[in-house]
Amino acid sequence: MAERARVAILISGRGSNMAALIYAARADDCPFEIALVTGDKPDAPGLSLAEAEGIDALRMDAKKVGASYWNELQNALDAAAIDTIALAGFMRIIPAEFVARWTGRMVNIHPSLLPDHRGLNTHESVLAAGDRVTGATVHIVSEAVDSGAILGQVSVAVLPGDTADTLATRVLIAEHQLYPRILSQFVARERDPEWIVAKVGTLALALPEARFKTSHGAPGWKVGSPSNDKFFAIMWLRHHGEESVAVLVKCGGQDEMAALIEADPALYFRPAYYGPSDWIGIRLDRPGVDWDHVAEWLQRSWSLCAPPRLTKLLRVADAF
Ligand code: GRF
């Protein structure tokens, strides 16, 4: 099976959602592995469970560490080569800078049907509102609390006579089903060729006079006027014995290509047929793709293929 996404779980308490994710990751076909559990409270009970299950658990103390806590956390995530963060009862407001650093790669579970009942005391708020149905939501973490894009939800009936505790217990059962399923879909989506093509397309079409065109049936992007245009990016969708989903871009020549492949053979390859004309393959169906790096490659390839009138314009713009 393909490389699994490396997930870090952040907790502040008992960690029952953490446990659900750990046990889901034991399945052979689970697309993620739990590479780290940590949080802001060194005595969070969930950390002991993670340890007992043989997961790396880091006892961080946000209170003690103070201002450098977020940097230390980032260092721990880097050291464990984490692709995705899953918050599971992590009770700390996350600074905007940290959220920005993990844009689109940090998810959370909240015990209501968002956008209803954001924030704390969710079940009390559901009961006070007289709702007949509540539930749980997994969402992307954005700067505003409990407001990022919704990835999945499950509904749970509110029973007559429910208290905040009875409701919490039942919603928690639903949470444990929902979180592993949605996290699996979320990390797997980044390996889905359709998703990858759409992502490359967004970056490619952001460049001047770029347009979509197929090349021998594969999605590609050209630059220039319709009568005089050139491909600057072509998708490689598991062609010619090369299993990867990749984008082909123009590089500076055969020597550069050989050096790049030698330096990072998991990322780069020399595509059949295209390689001799300086197209290099960049694999995209792997966890933790650096999309800024892909955007830089697209821009470079665009510059090598665009007509002089466009590259001149860009150089003038760069000078300012
Ligand atoms: C869960 O209800 C979760 O939705 C919320 O905090 C609670 C954490 O519980 N964000 P646990 O620590 O996972 O048991």
Side-chain angles (χ1 to χ4, degrees):
M1 122 157 222
E3 229 179 302
R4 296 179 187 223
R6 294 176 65 79
V7 170
I9 307 177
L10 303 191
I11 61 169
S12 299
R14 73 193 152 183
S16 72
N17 277 288
M18 171 209 75
L21 294 174
I22 289 175
Y23 298 130
R26 295 234 164 117
D28 288 342
D29 61 352
C30 184
F32 62 81
E33 64 182 296
I34 307 305
L36 179 70
V37 175
T38 186
D40 57 342
K41 296 204 175 81
D43 51 357
L47 292 170
S48 304
L49 174 62
E51 267 165 7
E53 293 295 1
I55 312 269
D56 276 344
L58 186 62
R59 294 181 184 271
M60 298 187 71
D61 190 341
K63 252 199 200 147
K64 224 192 214 159
V65 181
S68 63
Y69 168 71
W70 295 100
N71 277 339
E72 289 196 13
L73 176 60
Q74 181 63 47
N75 291 342
L77 297 166
D78 288 344
I82 296 303
D83 305 306
T84 305
I85 298 177
L87 306 180
F90 182 64
M91 304 300 286
R92 189 157 284 269
I93 301 285
I94 306 178
E97 206 179 285
F98 190 89
V99 174
R101 218 160 164 173
W102 287 89
T103 304
R105 294 192 299 139
M106 177 157 57
V107 299
N108 180 41
I109 187 157
H110 181 78
S112 80
L113 292 176
L114 290 174
D116 295 341
H117 309 291
R118 294 186 172 116
L120 296 174
N121 303 321
T122 319
H123 306 297
E124 285 85 348
S125 157
V126 167
L127 293 172
D131 293 357
R132 307 277 296 273
V133 176
T134 183
T137 304
V138 174
H139 64 95
I140 298 265
V141 176
S142 63
E143 217 184 296
V145 174
D146 300 332
S147 299
I150 290 173
L151 299 173
Q153 294 186 307
V154 60
S155 60
V156 172
V158 179
L159 301 183
D162 255 337
T163 63
D165 282 349
T166 59
L167 198 50
T169 306
R170 218 163 47 257
V171 170
L172 201 58
I173 297 171
E175 289 183 42
H176 297 165
Q177 308 297 313
L178 182 73
Y179 210 175
R181 186 165 60 78
I182 300 301
L183 185 59
S184 293
Q185 282 173 8
F186 180 67
V187 300
R189 150 198 98 124
E190 298 196 341
R191 325 270 177 91
D192 173 6
E194 238 176 77
W195 186 88
I196 294 172
V197 171
K199 180 88 187 173
V200 175
T202 310
L203 299 175
L205 292 174
L207 294 163
E209 281 192 28
R211 73 184 159 277
F212 177 84
K213 191 94 203 282
T214 53
S215 165
H216 303 288
W221 294 270
K222 288 186 124 179
V223 56
S225 58
S227 56
N228 178 21
D229 57 3
K230 275 190 182 165
F231 278 105
F232 68 95
I234 301 169
M235 290 306 300
W236 178 275
L237 302 168
R238 304 198 173 103
H239 292 318
H240 309 296
E242 163 62 58
E243 271 307 296
S244 307
V245 173
V247 64
L248 308 187
V249 287
K250 282 276 190 181
C251 72
Q254 298 295 307
D255 288 349
E256 186 193 18
M257 189 175 334
L260 286 166
I261 295 170
E262 199 187 328
D264 197 346
L267 179 63
Y268 297 110
F269 66 97
R270 188 171 191 268
Y273 304 106
Y274 289 89
S277 18
D278 300 339
W279 291 95
I280 188 168
I282 305 174
R283 296 191 180 91
L284 301 175
D285 55 345
R286 49 208 299 268
V289 170
D290 182 347
W291 286 103
D292 291 340
H293 184 236
V294 175
E296 281 163 22
W297 263 114
L298 289 169
Q299 167 141 24
R300 185 167 169 226
S301 182
W302 179 95
S303 312
L304 290 170
C305 302
R309 74 182 161 81
L310 285 179
T311 47
K312 244 185 260 154
L313 277 181
L314 205 72
R315 272 200 295 275
V316 171
D318 278 351
F320 285 97

